[in-house]
Structure formats: structure tokens, C-alpha cells
Amino acid sequence: LAAGDRPESLAEICTARCLRNLGGTMCRTSAEGSLSLSGGVFLPSEICDRLLNTYVELVLTDSTFQKHDGFFTLFSDPYSTRLKRVQLRNDVVRDRDLEAIAKQDLIELHLIYCNKLTSGSLKTLTHFRHTLVSLSLYGCSNIFRRRGLNTQALDDQGNPSRRAEPDFTFQGFDRLRLLNLGGLALPVDVEALLHPLPTLVSLDLSGIRIPRAKFLLQWKDTLASLVLYNVELSEEHIHTIVKLSNLRHLDISRENQRSFSFKLSRNTLTGIVQDLSHLVSLDISCNVIVDDCIVPPYEEALINSNSNFICHIHNHTHCFDLLWLNSLFVGPACLLAQVTGTRNEDQILNAIEAYTELRPEVAHRAINHLFDIARIQHCSQLIRALQLVIAALKFHKYNKNIQVTGSAALFYLTNTEYRTNQSVRLRREVIQVVLNGMEEYQEVTVQRNCCLTLCNFSIPEELEFQYLRVNQLLLRILEPAWQDESIQRIAVHLCNALVCQVDNDHKEAVGKMGFVTTMLNLIQKKLQDKMCDQVMEFSWSALWNITDETPDNCEMFLDSKGMSLFLQCLETFPDKQELHRNMLGLLGNVAEVKALRPQLLTPQFITVFSNLLDSKADGIEVSYNACGVLSHIMFDGPEVWTVEESCRDEVMDRMRAAIRSWDVNSRRNINYRSFEPILRLLPQSIAPVSQYWATWALYNLVFVYPDKYCPLLIREGGMALLQGVLEMDTSQAETKDMARKVMEYCRNFREEPMDTTK
């Protein structure tokens, strides 16, 4: 297995299967839409926790997953389901969902960026007060918003009402030890709120205003971790913090240096290290450090005025590393005993890992540095880097900055240089998050990065597991509203590659999405601009591929006035050989459909096809394809020939002359998946010239590409049909001669002994 290719566990597979088919596996639905377990089923907490947390993950990261409005009611009965550790995020959870699990004895409840939760959920939280040990409300910005203000109700004087429910406190949460209230973005009286919690071990108040710091002393003997990220500090805060003698982790970092007035002095920093004797992790990222003293000699400190250095501070019985980076990161990553920063790949990856979940603004900068490493230097920890960027893109699906930098990093981390070390599963995860970004953001940079990243994959093979989804997204990009030429070019290239060498079922499904009309609209726009560029050529090539052995798509092409665009392109761009080849290849597919051929049998089209027989564009390709179109038309017999201006015999003579002029050694710009359309022209006498064209085509292909086409011809029964050609009196001598040579090549290929030395 490639590095990092851990297969999905049986538990993961079964969980996803059950969630995608709840009614067929384990649940029944009431008339009101609520879910309950099938009779006699009991699920322990290990399974229930996995079901709920995986459900949230699928809703947020898999657009094919169907969200169930009553899903949380599955866990409303604590006798048949047990929840212990629940992690919910973003807009997946609402007040009613949290209320549905209110009877569960939760130990951990992590609510992160759950902006749909209102103050009504505070009452639900009290149901967990007797069992809850760990609680996070990080970024749940509306949960402490007063309901009156939230709904803009007015009082008697016409002012916004401030009447609300009684203020919530944590009274009765006696077992609570870990609490995260960071990122609430609203004024919260944390002193009153937290007063009933005398035994907290870990507290995160990131971004919250703390006018008075002394209330922190109620945890003087218990608090081991304190996070005050983006908190406006003062000397009073520092004096209080250094009295929390049992602190092992302290985070007083900032998003940037410009946001706050308080500056750390070296004296203050030394005091923190000296007074907090149990400290093993300190984060002072983006604090401004002022040089106001000389560090005491007994600290054995190594500090200089450089902005980037590692300082080893020995404090009696232990030492820890402090990376001082005024520009971005400082200190070991929270609870990881690893240094974060921008000096090397290790530090950057540590920063992404430590800050992705709760500090996307910091993770964004770290991913940007990773992008530079992958682009300019070399990423030595590829698997870890990919996994961290994927996790960041999944977690912050709605964060534009993360999506821009993450998708750019993925482009370089998945290119040819790194590809051999990537597993199938890991590359599929990349594709999933790239498509998530394309769905969520119409912004040009994200779309371009995502399209370029998809170009690093084998198409269509590696994208086939998301085939319809990726086509839908690409077609949306190609709608007329999009004017960015570079994205159009990449998207059309991807569309063309996606419909090449895939099953007809895929082609028909994509055709029904509007693929044919989208390509024709692009061609129409390029005609108006009189521009024959890669978008124009790729569009015709894509139409050639999607109509291959797909009659419905051929009919769509004709119904959408495709023949008119064909004639306009011939007239407007008479010297564009690649364009002519693609157009004639497409019309060859249309001509293979018997029901559609009458639409090609007009004086104008027959004249055009006849004149193109003499074309030397792109070797023999244009002439060959024009002759193929006419061969299928001739195959219908003289009785359907209604073109008075063009004599059927005269056209057939021109076809024979063209075929005789072709070099049988010509290498081809074509790829046959089946010979069936050619073989059907062999057992007939009504159009000997069509038989002639078919045998020449087979002769050329088995002669130039014997390894590929001899087995195909044998497998599809071509040898018997060629024998029939030899036995027909109406077959021309040169046709029989080519038929014999084709059969001889195939016999020699079949009888050649296998080479076992390679």
C-alpha cells in the first residue's frame, strides 16, 4: 500500500452505509418525520457517538448525502440509544435538534460555529448539567444573544425590547472541568456566568472582553490551561495570571500585532516563566515585545534582538522551547509539545494542525507558507501536509480565505512530482474537498485553483467515482455569466477529457445535463467574437467525444442547430485544421445513426462533405472523416438519395479517388473503442465504396497499431465479416486485396508466440 493508505475500517463503512439508508437498515419514521430505532434494537454509546458525529461530517462535506430533518430524534430515547461524546458544528444543528437529545447523559458536548443555535438552547444545556465534563460553545455567536434584541421586538416606546429570559449561569454544572466560550463575538458577563464553576481545569475565553481579571483567581489551585487568544490584556491581567500557579498551558496570543495596545515586556515575559513553574506550553504569537530589562543571569536565558530565534529557558527542574516569531507564531503548539512557526516545514505543519479548528485566520497564513514550500522548494512530509490541508478545507468549507490558499496548496501537492506517494483513498479525499470548494464558491480564484488541481488527476479514471457531480460543476462554470477566459479553457479541457473513453451511460447522463447545448453556446460566442482558440477547438472535440455511439446526444446536436454552427465555422475559419478534424469527427458520429442521416442528406451538406474529400488538413483526418460520413449515407442505398444537384455516382467516384490517395502508413488522431460502426458497412453490396472505405480503415489501423486493434477486430467478429467480403461478387478488387491483408495481419498477431522474457 502507498504511504498513508489506511483502508476504511469496518465500523466506518457500516456507519456510512446505515446513515445513507436509515430506513432500510435500522430506523423507522413516524408520521411527523421523527426517527426511532426499529423494535428491539439497542445501540451503545460507542455506536451512537459515531453515528451522530459522522452524520454531521457527511452533511458538511458530501453534497450527495441527504440530510434528514428529524435525524436527532433518533437519540431522543436514552433507553435504546446512548450518547456520551458529541461534536456538532456549523449550521447543521438547531435548537430543536439539541432539544431532541436533551435526555442523554452527555459527558462531552462540543458546539463549534453553531450559529443557528439561539438563547433557547441554553435551557437545553441545563439538562446535561449533572453529567457534562467538557463543553465548548466556540463561535456560537447567537446563543447568548438576548432574544428580544435578536428578533427586534419593540417596547411601548418603539425601541428594541431588552426583555429576555433570565440570565443563564452554569449553576449545577458541578462536574464541568473543561469549558470553551471563545469566539462568541458578543459582550458576555463571564464573571457572573462562570462563578458557579469552582473546579475548572481548562478555560478558553478567546476574543471575549474581560474588564476585571481577578475572578480568574477562583481557579488558582485547579486551572491547568488558560486560553486568552485575542483578548485585550493589561498589567492587571498579567498579575492575576501569574498567580494561577498550576497552569501548564497559557495562551495569550493574538491574531496580529495591530489590534491591541498592550505590549509584553521582556521583564513581564520572564516573570510569567519564573512564576508559573509548571508551565510547559506558552503561546505569545503576534505580541509586541519591548526590551525593557536584562533577563536575570540565573534564568540562563538566550535572548537577542533578532525577530526570529529559539530561546531555551531553564527553570529549575525543566526546560521548554520558545520560538519567538514576532511576524507570525510564537511558542509550542497548544498541548502538543511542538514548535509552530514559519522557519521550516515542521513548524508550518504544526501550526496548521494546532490552529485549524478554532483559529482559521492563523491556519490560513500557515497554509500559505506551505503553498510556498510545495511550489518553490520540496515538501518532505507530503502525506501529513495533504491530510492537514484536506482537514482544513473540510472544517472551513465556508471560509473563503482557507478555500483559496488550501486549493492552491493542493494543486502543487498533487502534481506529478508528488503523485507516486499518494494513495487512491487520499487522492479521492482531495477530489472531494476540491468539489466542495467549487460548489460553495463562485469566486474566480477558487474556481481556477480547483480546476487546475483536477487536471493533476487521471481523467476520467480518477474522477469517475464523482462523475456526474464534477460534470455538473464544470457545466455551471461554463454558463454565459462566466467571462474568465482561463477558467473557461481549463473547464472545457476537463469536460472534453471526462467524456472521452467512458461508458455510453455516462455520456447520456451528461448529455441530459445540458452538455451539448453548453458546448454549442460556447461555440456560438466564439463565432460572434470571430475567435478560434482552444475553447472553440476543445468544445468541438468534447462534442465529438460525447456523441460517440450515443444517438441521443447526436440528436441533441442536430436539434440545437449544430449543423448551422458547423457551416459557419467552416466559412469563418477555413484554415483551422484541428477545428475541421474535430467537427468532421463529430459528424461521423451523427452519420452512424440511421434515423438521423436524412438530416444530413441536403444539397448544401453533401456539397460540403464532397469538397472536404480533397482536404489535406491534418494529414488524412479531415478527408477520412468526410468520407466516413458519406459512406454511411451511401449505405442507405440509392432509393433514399434525394439530392438532385449532386449525382450519387459522381460523389462515390470522388470518394474512391480520395481513399486511393491516402497513405496507409498514416498515424491517426483517433481512438476507436469499437469497430461496430465500421464493421456494419462490410456485409453489403448496395454501396461498394462504403465497403471500400471500411476495409481501408481497418487495414490502416491494424497495420499501424497492431497491438491495439488486431485483438479488437478479432474479438468483435471482424475476421468472419472480412471473409464474407472476399466471397462477395460485388466487392471491388482493391477492397478484397485490403481485406486479405487485414486478415493476414490479424492471423500473424494471433499466432505470434508470447514473449515471456519481459
Side-chain angles (χ1 to χ4, degrees), residues 327-574:
S327 61
L328 189 56
F329 302 107
V330 179
C334 307
L335 304 176
L336 290 176
Q338 294 175 315
V339 178
T340 66
T342 58
R343 293 186 65 176
N344 57 51
E345 185 177 324
D346 270 333
Q347 293 173 8
I348 289 168
L349 295 180
N350 290 342
I352 299 172
E353 186 171 4
Y355 297 125
T356 284
E357 185 173 2
L358 301 183
R359 301 186 192 176
E361 65 280 358
V362 181
H364 160 247
R365 294 200 293 266
I367 294 172
N368 210 30
H369 285 286
L370 176 63
F371 161 76
D372 286 333
I373 287 178
R375 178 174 62 94
I376 301 171
Q377 304 171 32
H378 177 78
C379 181
S380 59
Q381 301 179 57
L382 174 67
I383 304 303
R384 186 184 176 207
L386 271 175
Q387 290 171 336
L388 289 174
V389 174
I390 289 169
L393 288 169
K394 281 184 176 181
F395 204 92
H396 297 288
K397 181 178 177 180
Y398 306 108
N399 185 307
K400 178 184 171 183
N401 289 332
I402 293 284
Q403 292 297 319
V404 169
T405 56
S407 58
L410 286 182
F411 169 70
Y412 286 99
L413 290 171
T414 56
N415 66 18
T416 306
E417 177 186 358
Y418 299 112
R419 181 169 182 171
T420 55
N421 296 319
Q422 297 169 17
S423 68
V424 172
R425 183 180 180 189
L426 191 61
R427 287 176 72 80
R428 283 193 170 193
E429 286 189 71
V430 172
I431 293 169
Q432 291 273 27
V433 295
V434 164
L435 298 183
N436 288 346
M438 292 175 69
E439 280 176 340
E440 190 60 34
Y441 289 97
Q442 299 300 298
E443 197 270 339
V444 170
T445 306
V446 174
Q447 295 289 333
R448 183 186 296 111
N449 290 348
C450 290
C451 286
L452 285 171
T453 301
L454 291 177
C455 291
N456 287 336
F457 293 82
S458 297
I459 304 173
E461 295 83 7
E462 288 191 282
L463 300 183
E464 198 160 1
F465 80 107
Q466 291 281 291
Y467 190 78
L468 296 181
R469 183 184 179 199
V470 68
N471 272 288
Q472 285 174 333
L473 291 170
L474 291 171
L475 292 179
R476 188 176 70 179
I477 290 175
L478 294 171
E479 290 175 356
W482 282 87
Q483 298 298 326
D484 188 274
E485 287 288 332
S486 64
I487 297 179
Q488 270 195 349
R489 185 170 60 253
I490 302 165
V492 174
H493 162 72
L494 286 168
C495 283
N496 187 26
L498 279 164
V499 294
C500 182
Q501 301 298 305
V502 293
D503 293 337
N504 291 353
D505 289 345
H506 283 331
K507 294 182 181 182
E508 289 173 359
V510 173
K512 291 174 182 176
M513 290 180 190
F515 189 101
V516 174
T517 54
T518 297
M519 294 301 141
L520 290 174
N521 288 338
L522 287 173
I523 292 167
Q524 178 71 57
K525 178 67 168 59
K526 292 299 178 181
L527 269 171
Q528 291 173 357
D529 298 338
K530 297 190 182 306
M531 182 182 296
C532 184
D533 57 7
Q534 285 185 320
V535 172
M536 168 75 90
E537 292 179 359
F538 284 156
S539 297
W540 279 108
S541 180
L543 289 171
W544 182 5
N545 282 316
I546 201 173
T547 54
D548 181 34
E549 298 183 48
T550 315
D552 286 350
N553 291 340
C554 293
E555 187 174 10
M556 287 182 200
F557 170 80
L558 295 179
D559 292 345
S560 302
K561 300 185 176 11
M563 291 303 294
S564 173
L565 292 178
F566 161 69
L567 294 175
Q568 291 179 58
C569 284
L570 274 180
E571 181 181 354
T572 307
F573 310 111

Side-chain angles (χ1 to χ4, degrees), residues 725-744:
V725 171
L726 297 178
E727 296 171 358
M728 292 178 65
D729 295 335
T730 56
S731 299
Q732 297 174 339
E734 49 198 344
T735 301
K736 290 183 178 182
D737 182 53
M738 283 189 293
R740 290 189 192 95
K741 291 179 179 178
V742 173
M743 295 174 70
E744 181 180 350

Side-chain angles (χ1 to χ4, degrees), residues 111-170:
L111 304 172
I112 300 175
Y113 300 118
C114 296
N115 292 318
K116 294 293 185 180
L117 294 181
T118 70
S119 57
S121 286
L122 294 176
K123 181 179 179 181
T124 305
L125 288 181
T126 62
H127 289 279
F128 310 125
R129 65 186 182 276
H130 299 301
T131 58
L132 211 55
V133 174
S134 177
L135 173 64
S136 173
L137 300 177
Y138 194 93
C140 300
S141 57
N142 293 317
I143 199 166
F144 287 106
R145 188 188 298 274
R146 292 181 181 272
R147 180 168 293 178
L149 285 176
N150 192 36
T151 58
Q152 291 297 299
L154 303 179
D155 59 20
D156 294 338
Q157 285 73 41
N159 299 315
S161 172
R162 292 185 177 272
R163 292 194 301 271
E165 303 163 348
D167 289 338
F168 170 85
T169 71
F170 284 102

Side-chain angles (χ1 to χ4, degrees), residues 655-674:
M655 291 169 63
R656 291 188 191 93
I659 296 170
R660 290 178 184 133
S661 71
W662 300 338
D663 182 0
V664 77
N665 295 294
S666 298
R667 303 192 70 83
R668 309 300 309 284
N669 289 318
I670 197 168
N671 185 23
Y672 283 99
R673 292 186 301 136
S674 170

